[in-house]
Amino acid sequence: MMRPIVLSYKSRIVGTFVFLATLTLYLLTAWMTGSVRSPIQAYFNDLAAAFITGRLDLVNPLSTLDLTFYNGKWYVPFPPLPALLMIPWALSVVC
């Protein structure tokens, strides 16, 4: 039988400090580079609409800044989970 792992008080303090230091460094870096806002075009709503029509590519995207061009089509290089979660919303807008 395996024994449960019990962390000491000192280990919890060190872990909390490492987490807070990493979070602070991340937020400071984002603030210094100006990357704290959402992008103007995130493409997930367009990708959800493309999924509804049976396409994997975007037709006439407004911006191609983060897109990948392949065989004459524009593709979103990011994982599609946000677009898949937006399909019900895209269906309500399209219909």
Coordinates of all heavy atoms in Angstrom, one line a residue:
M1 N 0.8 -1.2 0.0 CA 0.0 0.0 0.0 C 0.9 1.2 0.0 O 1.9 1.3 0.7 CB -0.9 0.0 1.2 CG -1.8 1.2 1.3 SD -2.8 1.2 2.8 CE -4.3 0.7 2.1
M2 N 0.5 2.2 -0.8 CA 1.3 3.5 -0.9 C 0.9 4.4 0.2 O -0.3 4.6 0.5 CB 1.1 4.1 -2.3 CG 1.6 3.3 -3.4 SD 1.4 4.1 -5.0 CE 2.2 5.6 -4.8
R3 N 1.9 5.1 0.8 CA 1.7 6.1 1.8 C 1.4 7.4 1.1 O 2.0 7.7 0.1 CB 2.9 6.2 2.7 CG 3.2 5.0 3.5 CD 4.3 5.2 4.4 NE 5.3 6.1 3.8 CZ 6.5 6.2 4.3 NH1 6.9 5.6 5.4 NH2 7.4 7.0 3.7
P4 N 0.5 8.2 1.6 CA 0.2 9.5 1.1 C 1.5 10.4 1.3 O 2.2 10.3 2.3 CB -1.0 10.0 1.8 CG -1.0 9.3 3.1 CD -0.4 7.9 2.8
I5 N 1.7 11.3 0.3 CA 2.8 12.2 0.4 C 2.4 13.4 1.3 O 1.4 14.1 1.0 CB 3.2 12.7 -1.0 CG1 3.7 11.6 -1.8 CG2 4.3 13.8 -0.9 CD1 4.0 11.9 -3.3
V6 N 3.1 13.6 2.3 CA 2.8 14.7 3.2 C 3.9 15.8 3.1 O 5.1 15.4 3.4 CB 2.7 14.2 4.7 CG1 2.4 15.4 5.6 CG2 1.6 13.2 4.8
L7 N 3.6 17.0 2.7 CA 4.6 18.0 2.5 C 4.7 18.8 3.9 O 3.8 19.0 4.6 CB 4.1 19.0 1.5 CG 4.0 18.4 0.1 CD1 3.5 19.5 -0.9 CD2 5.4 17.9 -0.4
S8 N 6.0 19.1 4.1 CA 6.2 19.8 5.4 C 5.8 21.3 5.2 O 5.6 21.8 4.0 CB 7.7 19.7 5.7 OG 8.5 20.4 4.7
Y9 N 5.8 22.0 6.3 CA 5.4 23.4 6.2 C 6.5 24.2 5.4 O 6.1 25.1 4.6 CB 5.4 24.0 7.7 CG 5.0 25.4 7.8 CD1 3.7 25.8 7.5 CD2 6.0 26.4 8.1 CE1 3.4 27.2 7.6 CE2 5.6 27.7 8.2 CZ 4.3 28.1 7.9 OH 4.0 29.4 8.0
K10 N 7.7 23.8 5.6 CA 8.8 24.5 4.8 C 8.7 24.3 3.3 O 8.8 25.2 2.5 CB 10.1 24.0 5.3 CG 11.3 24.7 4.7 CD 12.6 24.2 5.3 CE 13.8 24.9 4.6 NZ 15.1 24.3 5.1
S11 N 8.3 23.1 2.9 CA 8.1 22.8 1.5 C 7.0 23.6 0.9 O 7.0 24.0 -0.2 CB 7.9 21.3 1.3 OG 9.0 20.5 1.7
R12 N 5.9 23.7 1.7 CA 4.8 24.5 1.2 C 5.1 26.0 1.0 O 4.7 26.6 0.0 CB 3.6 24.4 2.1 CG 3.0 23.0 2.1 CD 1.8 22.9 3.0 NE 1.4 21.5 3.0 CZ 0.3 21.1 3.6 NH1 -0.5 22.0 4.2 NH2 -0.1 19.8 3.6
I13 N 5.9 26.5 1.9 CA 6.3 27.9 1.9 C 7.2 28.1 0.6 O 7.1 29.1 -0.1 CB 7.1 28.3 3.1 CG1 6.1 28.3 4.3 CG2 7.7 29.7 3.0 CD1 5.0 29.3 4.3
V14 N 8.2 27.2 0.4 CA 9.1 27.3 -0.7 C 8.3 27.2 -2.0 O 8.5 27.9 -3.0 CB 10.2 26.2 -0.6 CG1 11.0 26.2 -1.9 CG2 11.1 26.5 0.5
G15 N 7.4 26.2 -2.1 CA 6.5 26.1 -3.3 C 5.7 27.3 -3.6 O 5.6 27.7 -4.7
T16 N 5.1 27.9 -2.6 CA 4.3 29.1 -2.7 C 5.2 30.2 -3.2 O 4.8 31.0 -4.1 CB 3.6 29.5 -1.4 OG1 2.8 28.4 -1.0 CG2 2.7 30.7 -1.6
F17 N 6.4 30.4 -2.6 CA 7.3 31.4 -3.0 C 7.7 31.3 -4.5 O 7.7 32.2 -5.3 CB 8.5 31.4 -2.1 CG 9.6 32.4 -2.6 CD1 9.4 33.8 -2.4 CD2 10.7 32.0 -3.3 CE1 10.3 34.7 -2.8 CE2 11.6 32.9 -3.7 CZ 11.5 34.3 -3.5
V18 N 8.0 30.1 -4.9 CA 8.4 29.8 -6.3 C 7.3 30.1 -7.3 O 7.5 30.8 -8.3 CB 8.9 28.3 -6.5 CG1 9.1 28.0 -8.0 CG2 10.2 28.1 -5.7
F19 N 6.1 29.7 -6.9 CA 4.9 30.0 -7.7 C 4.7 31.5 -7.9 O 4.5 32.1 -9.0 CB 3.6 29.4 -7.1 CG 2.4 29.8 -7.8 CD1 2.0 29.4 -9.1 CD2 1.6 30.8 -7.2 CE1 0.9 29.8 -9.7 CE2 0.4 31.2 -7.8 CZ 0.1 30.7 -9.1
L20 N 4.7 32.3 -6.7 CA 4.5 33.7 -6.8 C 5.6 34.4 -7.5 O 5.4 35.4 -8.2 CB 4.3 34.3 -5.4 CG 3.0 33.8 -4.6 CD1 3.0 34.3 -3.2 CD2 1.8 34.3 -5.4
A21 N 6.9 34.0 -7.4 CA 8.0 34.6 -8.1 C 7.8 34.4 -9.6 O 8.0 35.3 -10.4 CB 9.3 34.1 -7.6
T22 N 7.5 33.2 -10.0 CA 7.3 32.9 -11.4 C 6.1 33.7 -12.0 O 6.2 34.3 -13.1 CB 7.0 31.4 -11.6 OG1 8.1 30.7 -11.0 CG2 6.9 31.0 -13.0
L23 N 5.0 33.8 -11.3 CA 3.9 34.6 -11.7 C 4.2 36.0 -11.8 O 3.9 36.7 -12.8 CB 2.7 34.4 -10.7 CG 1.4 35.2 -11.1 CD1 0.8 34.7 -12.4 CD2 0.4 35.0 -9.9
T24 N 4.9 36.6 -10.9 CA 5.4 38.0 -10.9 C 6.3 38.2 -12.1 O 6.1 39.2 -12.8 CB 6.1 38.4 -9.6 OG1 5.2 38.1 -8.5 CG2 6.5 39.8 -9.6
L25 N 7.2 37.3 -12.4 CA 8.1 37.5 -13.5 C 7.3 37.4 -14.8 O 7.6 38.2 -15.7 CB 9.2 36.4 -13.5 CG 10.2 36.4 -14.6 CD1 11.0 37.7 -14.5 CD2 11.1 35.2 -14.5
Y26 N 6.4 36.5 -14.9 CA 5.6 36.4 -16.1 C 4.8 37.6 -16.4 O 4.7 38.2 -17.5 CB 4.6 35.2 -16.0 CG 3.6 35.1 -17.1 CD1 4.0 34.6 -18.3 CD2 2.3 35.4 -16.9 CE1 3.1 34.5 -19.4 CE2 1.4 35.4 -17.9 CZ 1.7 34.9 -19.1 OH 0.8 34.8 -20.1
L27 N 4.1 38.1 -15.3 CA 3.2 39.3 -15.5 C 4.1 40.6 -15.8 O 3.7 41.4 -16.6 CB 2.4 39.6 -14.2 CG 1.3 38.5 -14.0 CD1 0.6 38.8 -12.7 CD2 0.3 38.5 -15.2
L28 N 5.3 40.7 -15.1 CA 6.2 41.8 -15.4 C 6.7 41.8 -16.8 O 6.7 42.8 -17.5 CB 7.3 41.8 -14.4 CG 8.3 42.9 -14.5 CD1 7.6 44.2 -14.2 CD2 9.5 42.7 -13.6
T29 N 7.0 40.6 -17.3 CA 7.5 40.5 -18.7 C 6.4 40.8 -19.7 O 6.6 41.5 -20.7 CB 8.0 39.0 -19.0 OG1 9.0 38.7 -18.0 CG2 8.6 38.9 -20.4
A30 N 5.2 40.4 -19.4 CA 4.1 40.7 -20.3 C 3.8 42.2 -20.3 O 3.5 42.8 -21.3 CB 2.8 39.9 -19.9
W31 N 3.8 42.8 -19.1 CA 3.6 44.2 -19.1 C 4.7 45.0 -19.8 O 4.4 46.0 -20.5 CB 3.5 44.6 -17.6 CG 3.3 46.1 -17.4 CD1 2.2 46.8 -17.6 CD2 4.3 47.0 -17.0 NE1 2.4 48.2 -17.4 CE2 3.7 48.3 -17.0 CE3 5.7 46.9 -16.6 CZ2 4.4 49.4 -16.6 CZ3 6.3 48.0 -16.2 CH2 5.7 49.3 -16.2
M32 N 5.9 44.6 -19.6 CA 7.1 45.3 -20.2 C 7.0 45.2 -21.8 O 7.4 46.2 -22.5 CB 8.4 44.8 -19.7 CG 8.7 45.2 -18.3 SD 10.1 44.5 -17.6 CE 11.4 45.0 -18.7
T33 N 6.6 44.1 -22.3 CA 6.5 43.9 -23.8 C 5.2 44.4 -24.3 O 5.0 44.4 -25.6 CB 6.7 42.5 -24.1 OG1 5.7 41.7 -23.5 CG2 8.1 42.0 -23.7
G34 N 4.2 44.8 -23.5 CA 3.0 45.3 -24.0 C 2.0 44.2 -24.4 O 1.1 44.4 -25.2
S35 N 2.2 43.0 -23.9 CA 1.4 41.8 -24.3 C 0.3 41.5 -23.3 O 0.1 40.3 -23.1 CB 2.3 40.6 -24.5 OG 3.3 40.9 -25.5
V36 N -0.3 42.5 -22.7 CA -1.3 42.2 -21.7 C -2.7 42.2 -22.2 O -3.6 41.8 -21.6 CB -1.2 43.2 -20.5 CG1 0.2 43.0 -19.8 CG2 -1.2 44.6 -21.0
R37 N -2.9 42.7 -23.5 CA -4.2 42.7 -24.0 C -4.5 41.5 -25.0 O -3.5 41.0 -25.5 CB -4.4 44.0 -24.8 CG -4.4 45.2 -23.9 CD -4.8 46.5 -24.7 NE -4.9 47.6 -23.8 CZ -3.9 48.5 -23.7 NH1 -2.9 48.4 -24.5 NH2 -4.1 49.5 -22.9
S38 N -5.7 41.3 -25.2 CA -6.1 40.2 -26.2 C -5.8 40.8 -27.6 O -5.9 42.0 -27.8 CB -7.6 39.9 -26.1 OG -7.8 39.3 -24.9
P39 N -5.4 39.9 -28.5 CA -5.2 40.4 -29.9 C -6.4 40.9 -30.5 O -7.6 40.5 -30.1 CB -4.7 39.1 -30.6 CG -5.2 38.0 -29.8 CD -5.3 38.4 -28.4
I40 N -6.3 41.8 -31.5 CA -7.4 42.3 -32.2 C -8.2 41.2 -32.9 O -9.4 41.2 -32.9 CB -7.0 43.4 -33.2 CG1 -6.3 44.6 -32.4 CG2 -8.1 43.9 -34.1 CD1 -5.7 45.6 -33.3
Q41 N -7.5 40.3 -33.6 CA -8.1 39.2 -34.3 C -7.6 37.9 -33.7 O -6.4 37.6 -33.8 CB -7.7 39.3 -35.8 CG -8.3 38.3 -36.6 CD -9.8 38.4 -36.8 OE1 -10.4 39.4 -36.6 NE2 -10.5 37.3 -37.1
A42 N -8.5 37.1 -33.1 CA -8.0 35.9 -32.5 C -8.3 34.6 -33.4 O -7.9 33.6 -33.1 CB -8.7 35.7 -31.1
Y43 N -9.2 34.8 -34.4 CA -9.5 33.8 -35.4 C -10.3 32.6 -34.9 O -10.8 31.8 -35.8 CB -8.2 33.2 -36.0 CG -7.3 34.2 -36.6 CD1 -6.0 34.4 -36.0 CD2 -7.6 34.9 -37.7 CE1 -5.2 35.4 -36.5 CE2 -6.8 35.9 -38.2 CZ -5.6 36.1 -37.7 OH -4.7 37.0 -38.2
F44 N -10.6 32.5 -33.6 CA -11.3 31.3 -33.2 C -12.8 31.4 -33.6 O -13.4 30.3 -33.9 CB -11.2 31.1 -31.7 CG -9.8 30.7 -31.3 CD1 -9.1 31.6 -30.5 CD2 -9.2 29.6 -31.8 CE1 -7.8 31.2 -30.1 CE2 -7.9 29.3 -31.5 CZ -7.2 30.1 -30.6
N45 N -13.4 32.5 -33.6 CA -14.8 32.6 -34.1 C -14.9 32.3 -35.6 O -15.8 31.7 -36.1 CB -15.4 34.0 -33.8 CG -14.5 35.1 -34.3 OD1 -13.4 34.9 -34.6 ND2 -15.1 36.3 -34.4
D46 N -13.9 32.8 -36.4 CA -13.8 32.5 -37.8 C -13.6 31.0 -38.0 O -14.2 30.4 -39.0 CB -12.8 33.3 -38.5 CG -13.0 34.8 -38.4 OD1 -14.2 35.2 -38.3 OD2 -12.0 35.5 -38.5
L47 N -12.7 30.4 -37.2 CA -12.5 29.0 -37.4 C -13.7 28.1 -37.0 O -14.0 27.1 -37.6 CB -11.3 28.6 -36.5 CG -10.7 27.2 -36.7 CD1 -10.3 26.9 -38.1 CD2 -9.6 26.9 -35.7
A48 N -14.4 28.6 -36.0 CA -15.7 27.9 -35.6 C -16.7 27.9 -36.8 O -17.3 26.9 -37.1 CB -16.3 28.5 -34.4
A49 N -16.8 29.1 -37.4 CA -17.7 29.2 -38.6 C -17.2 28.4 -39.7 O -18.0 27.8 -40.4 CB -17.8 30.7 -39.0
A50 N -15.9 28.2 -39.9 CA -15.4 27.4 -40.9 C -15.7 25.9 -40.6 O -16.0 25.1 -41.6 CB -13.9 27.6 -41.1
F51 N -15.6 25.5 -39.4 CA -15.9 24.1 -39.0 C -17.3 23.8 -39.3 O -17.7 22.7 -39.8 CB -15.6 23.9 -37.5 CG -14.2 23.8 -37.2 CD1 -13.8 23.9 -35.9 CD2 -13.2 23.6 -38.1 CE1 -12.4 23.8 -35.5 CE2 -11.8 23.5 -37.8 CZ -11.5 23.6 -36.5
I52 N -18.2 24.8 -39.1 CA -19.6 24.5 -39.4 C -19.9 24.3 -40.8 O -20.7 23.4 -41.2 CB -20.5 25.8 -38.9 CG1 -20.4 25.8 -37.4 CG2 -21.9 25.7 -39.4 CD1 -21.0 27.1 -36.8
T53 N -19.1 25.0 -41.7 CA -19.3 24.8 -43.1 C -18.4 23.6 -43.7 O -18.4 23.4 -44.9 CB -19.0 26.1 -43.9 OG1 -17.6 26.4 -43.6 CG2 -19.9 27.2 -43.5
G54 N -17.8 22.9 -42.8 CA -17.0 21.7 -43.2 C -15.6 22.1 -43.7 O -15.0 21.3 -44.4
R55 N -15.1 23.2 -43.4 CA -13.8 23.7 -43.8 C -12.8 23.7 -42.6 O -13.2 23.8 -41.5 CB -13.8 25.0 -44.4 CG -14.7 25.1 -45.6 CD -14.7 26.6 -46.2 NE -13.4 26.9 -46.7 CZ -13.1 26.8 -48.0 NH1 -14.0 26.4 -48.9 NH2 -11.9 27.1 -48.4
L56 N -11.5 23.5 -43.0 CA -10.5 23.6 -42.0 C -9.7 24.9 -42.1 O -8.8 25.3 -41.3 CB -9.5 22.4 -42.0 CG -10.1 21.1 -41.7 CD1 -9.0 20.0 -42.0 CD2 -10.6 21.0 -40.3
D57 N -9.9 25.6 -43.3 CA -9.2 26.8 -43.5 C -10.1 28.0 -43.4 O -11.3 27.9 -43.4 CB -8.6 26.8 -45.0 CG -9.7 26.6 -46.0 OD1 -10.5 25.8 -45.9 OD2 -9.7 27.4 -47.0
L58 N -9.5 29.2 -43.4 CA -10.3 30.5 -43.3 C -10.3 31.1 -44.7 O -9.3 31.2 -45.4 CB -9.6 31.5 -42.4 CG -9.4 31.0 -40.9 CD1 -8.8 32.1 -40.1 CD2 -10.8 30.6 -40.3
V59 N -11.5 31.5 -45.1 CA -11.7 32.1 -46.4 C -11.7 33.7 -46.2 O -12.5 34.2 -45.4 CB -13.1 31.7 -47.0 CG1 -13.3 32.4 -48.3 CG2 -13.1 30.2 -47.1
N60 N -10.8 34.3 -46.9 CA -10.7 35.8 -46.8 C -10.6 36.3 -45.4 O -11.4 37.1 -44.9 CB -11.8 36.5 -47.5 CG -11.9 36.1 -49.0 OD1 -10.9 35.9 -49.6 ND2 -13.1 36.0 -49.5
P61 N -9.5 35.9 -44.6 CA -9.4 36.5 -43.3 C -9.1 38.0 -43.3 O -8.5 38.5 -44.2 CB -8.2 35.7 -42.7 CG -7.5 35.2 -43.9 CD -8.5 35.0 -45.0
L62 N -9.5 38.7 -42.3 CA -9.3 40.1 -42.2 C -7.8 40.4 -42.0 O -7.3 41.4 -42.6 CB -10.0 40.7 -41.0 CG -11.6 40.6 -41.1 CD1 -12.2 41.1 -39.8 CD2 -12.1 41.4 -42.2
S63 N -7.1 39.6 -41.3 CA -5.7 39.8 -41.1 C -5.0 38.4 -41.2 O -5.6 37.4 -40.8 CB -5.4 40.4 -39.7 OG -4.0 40.3 -39.4
T64 N -3.8 38.4 -41.7 CA -3.1 37.1 -41.8 C -1.8 37.1 -40.9 O -0.9 36.3 -41.2 CB -2.7 36.9 -43.3 OG1 -1.9 38.0 -43.7 CG2 -3.9 36.8 -44.2
L65 N -1.8 37.9 -39.9 CA -0.7 38.1 -39.1 C -0.2 36.7 -38.5 O 1.0 36.4 -38.5 CB -0.9 39.1 -38.0 CG 0.2 39.4 -37.0 CD1 1.4 40.0 -37.8 CD2 -0.2 40.3 -35.9
D66 N -1.1 36.0 -37.9 CA -0.7 34.7 -37.2 C -1.1 33.5 -38.0 O -1.0 32.4 -37.4 CB -1.3 34.7 -35.8 CG -0.8 35.7 -34.8 OD1 0.4 36.0 -35.0 OD2 -1.5 36.1 -34.0
L67 N -1.5 33.6 -39.2 CA -2.0 32.5 -39.9 C -0.9 31.8 -40.7 O 0.2 32.4 -41.0 CB -3.1 32.9 -40.9 CG -4.4 33.5 -40.2 CD1 -5.4 33.9 -41.3 CD2 -5.0 32.5 -39.3
T68 N -1.1 30.6 -41.2 CA -0.2 29.9 -42.0 C -0.8 29.7 -43.4 O -1.9 29.2 -43.5 CB 0.1 28.5 -41.3 OG1 0.6 28.7 -40.0 CG2 1.1 27.7 -42.1
F69 N 0.0 30.0 -44.4 CA -0.4 29.9 -45.8 C 0.1 28.6 -46.3 O 1.3 28.3 -46.3 CB 0.1 31.1 -46.6 CG -0.5 31.1 -48.0 CD1 -1.8 31.5 -48.1 CD2 0.3 30.8 -49.1 CE1 -2.4 31.6 -49.4 CE2 -0.2 30.9 -50.3 CZ -1.6 31.3 -50.5
Y70 N -0.8 27.7 -46.8 CA -0.4 26.4 -47.4 C -1.3 26.0 -48.5 O -2.6 26.0 -48.3 CB -0.4 25.4 -46.3 CG -0.1 24.0 -46.7 CD1 1.3 23.7 -47.0 CD2 -1.0 23.0 -46.9 CE1 1.6 22.4 -47.5 CE2 -0.7 21.7 -47.3 CZ 0.6 21.4 -47.6 OH 1.0 20.2 -48.0
N71 N -0.8 25.7 -49.6 CA -1.6 25.3 -50.8 C -2.7 26.3 -51.2 O -3.8 25.9 -51.5 CB -2.1 23.9 -50.7 CG -1.1 22.9 -50.9 OD1 0.0 23.1 -51.5 ND2 -1.4 21.7 -50.4
G72 N -2.4 27.6 -51.1 CA -3.4 28.6 -51.4 C -4.5 28.9 -50.4 O -5.4 29.6 -50.7
K73 N -4.3 28.4 -49.2 CA -5.3 28.5 -48.2 C -4.7 29.0 -46.9 O -3.5 28.7 -46.6 CB -6.1 27.2 -47.9 CG -6.9 26.7 -49.1 CD -7.5 25.4 -48.8 CE -8.3 24.9 -50.1 NZ -8.9 23.6 -49.8
W74 N -5.5 29.7 -46.1 CA -5.0 30.2 -44.8 C -5.5 29.3 -43.7 O -6.7 29.1 -43.6 CB -5.5 31.6 -44.5 CG -4.8 32.6 -45.5 CD1 -5.3 33.2 -46.6 CD2 -3.5 33.1 -45.3 NE1 -4.5 34.0 -47.2 CE2 -3.3 34.0 -46.4 CE3 -2.5 33.0 -44.4 CZ2 -2.1 34.7 -46.6 CZ3 -1.3 33.7 -44.6 CH2 -1.1 34.5 -45.7
Y75 N -4.6 28.9 -42.8 CA -4.9 28.0 -41.7 C -4.5 28.6 -40.4 O -3.5 29.3 -40.3 CB -4.2 26.6 -41.8 CG -4.6 25.8 -43.0 CD1 -4.0 25.9 -44.3 CD2 -5.7 25.0 -42.9 CE1 -4.4 25.2 -45.3 CE2 -6.1 24.2 -44.0 CZ -5.5 24.3 -45.2 OH -5.9 23.6 -46.3
V76 N -5.2 28.3 -39.3 CA -4.9 28.8 -38.0 C -4.0 27.7 -37.4 O -4.3 26.6 -37.3 CB -6.2 28.9 -37.1 CG1 -5.9 29.3 -35.7 CG2 -7.2 29.8 -37.8
P77 N -2.8 28.2 -37.0 CA -1.8 27.2 -36.4 C -2.0 26.8 -35.0 O -1.2 26.1 -34.4 CB -0.5 27.9 -36.6 CG -0.8 29.4 -36.5 CD -2.2 29.5 -37.1
F78 N -3.0 27.4 -34.3 CA -3.2 27.2 -32.9 C -4.1 26.0 -32.7 O -4.9 25.6 -33.5 CB -3.8 28.4 -32.2 CG -3.0 29.7 -32.5 CD1 -3.6 30.7 -33.2 CD2 -1.7 29.8 -32.1 CE1 -2.9 31.9 -33.5 CE2 -1.0 30.9 -32.4 CZ -1.6 32.0 -33.1
P79 N -4.1 25.3 -31.5 CA -5.0 24.2 -31.2 C -6.4 24.7 -31.3 O -6.8 25.8 -31.0 CB -4.6 23.8 -29.8 CG -3.2 24.3 -29.6 CD -3.1 25.6 -30.4
P80 N -7.3 23.8 -31.8 CA -8.7 24.2 -32.2 C -9.7 24.2 -31.0 O -10.9 24.5 -31.3 CB -9.1 23.2 -33.3 CG -8.4 22.0 -32.9 CD -7.0 22.5 -32.3
L81 N -9.3 23.9 -29.8 CA -10.3 23.7 -28.7 C -11.1 25.0 -28.5 O -12.3 24.9 -28.4 CB -9.6 23.3 -27.4 CG -10.5 23.1 -26.2 CD1 -11.5 22.0 -26.5 CD2 -9.8 22.9 -25.0
P82 N -10.6 26.2 -28.5 CA -11.5 27.4 -28.4 C -12.5 27.5 -29.5 O -13.7 27.8 -29.2 CB -10.5 28.6 -28.4 CG -9.2 28.0 -27.9 CD -9.2 26.6 -28.4
A83 N -12.1 27.1 -30.7 CA -13.0 27.2 -31.8 C -14.1 26.1 -31.7 O -15.3 26.4 -32.0 CB -12.3 27.0 -33.1
L84 N -13.7 24.9 -31.2 CA -14.7 23.9 -31.0 C -15.7 24.3 -29.9 O -16.9 24.0 -30.0 CB -14.0 22.6 -30.6 CG -13.1 22.0 -31.7 CD1 -12.4 20.8 -31.2 CD2 -14.0 21.5 -32.9
L85 N -15.2 24.9 -28.9 CA -16.1 25.4 -27.8 C -17.0 26.5 -28.3 O -18.1 26.7 -27.7 CB -15.3 25.8 -26.6 CG -14.5 24.7 -25.9 CD1 -13.7 25.3 -24.8 CD2 -15.5 23.6 -25.4
M86 N -16.6 27.3 -29.3 CA -17.4 28.4 -29.8 C -18.4 28.0 -30.9 O -19.2 28.8 -31.3 CB -16.5 29.4 -30.4 CG -15.7 30.2 -29.3 SD -14.6 31.4 -30.1 CE -15.8 32.7 -30.4
I87 N -18.5 26.7 -31.3 CA -19.4 26.3 -32.3 C -20.8 26.6 -32.0 O -21.6 27.1 -32.8 CB -19.2 24.8 -32.7 CG1 -17.9 24.7 -33.5 CG2 -20.3 24.3 -33.5 CD1 -17.5 23.3 -33.9
P88 N -21.3 26.3 -30.8 CA -22.7 26.7 -30.5 C -23.0 28.2 -30.6 O -24.0 28.6 -31.2 CB -22.9 26.3 -29.0 CG -21.9 25.2 -28.8 CD -20.7 25.6 -29.6
W89 N -22.1 29.0 -30.2 CA -22.2 30.5 -30.4 C -22.2 30.8 -31.9 O -23.1 31.6 -32.3 CB -21.1 31.2 -29.7 CG -21.1 32.7 -29.9 CD1 -21.9 33.6 -29.3 CD2 -20.3 33.4 -30.9 NE1 -21.6 34.8 -29.9 CE2 -20.6 34.7 -30.8 CE3 -19.3 33.0 -31.8 CZ2 -20.0 35.7 -31.6 CZ3 -18.7 33.9 -32.6 CH2 -19.1 35.3 -32.5
A90 N -21.3 30.2 -32.6 CA -21.3 30.5 -34.1 C -22.6 30.0 -34.8 O -23.0 30.7 -35.7 CB -20.1 29.9 -34.7
L91 N -23.1 28.9 -34.3 CA -24.4 28.5 -34.9 C -25.5 29.5 -34.6 O -26.4 29.7 -35.5 CB -24.8 27.1 -34.4 CG -24.0 25.9 -35.0 CD1 -24.3 24.6 -34.2 CD2 -24.4 25.8 -36.4
S92 N -25.5 30.0 -33.4 CA -26.6 31.0 -33.1 C -26.4 32.3 -33.9 O -27.4 33.0 -34.2 CB -26.6 31.3 -31.6 OG -25.4 32.0 -31.2
V93 N -25.2 32.7 -34.2 CA -25.0 33.9 -35.0 C -25.3 33.7 -36.4 O -25.9 34.5 -37.1 CB -23.5 34.4 -34.8 CG1 -23.2 35.5 -35.7 CG2 -23.3 34.8 -33.4
V94 N -24.9 32.5 -37.0 CA -25.1 32.2 -38.4 C -26.6 32.0 -38.7 O -27.1 32.5 -39.7 CB -24.3 31.0 -38.8 CG1 -24.7 30.5 -40.2 CG2 -22.8 31.3 -38.7
C95 N -27.3 31.3 -37.8 CA -28.7 31.0 -38.1 C -29.7 32.2 -37.8 O -29.5 33.0 -37.1 CB -29.2 29.8 -37.3 SG -28.3 28.3 -37.8

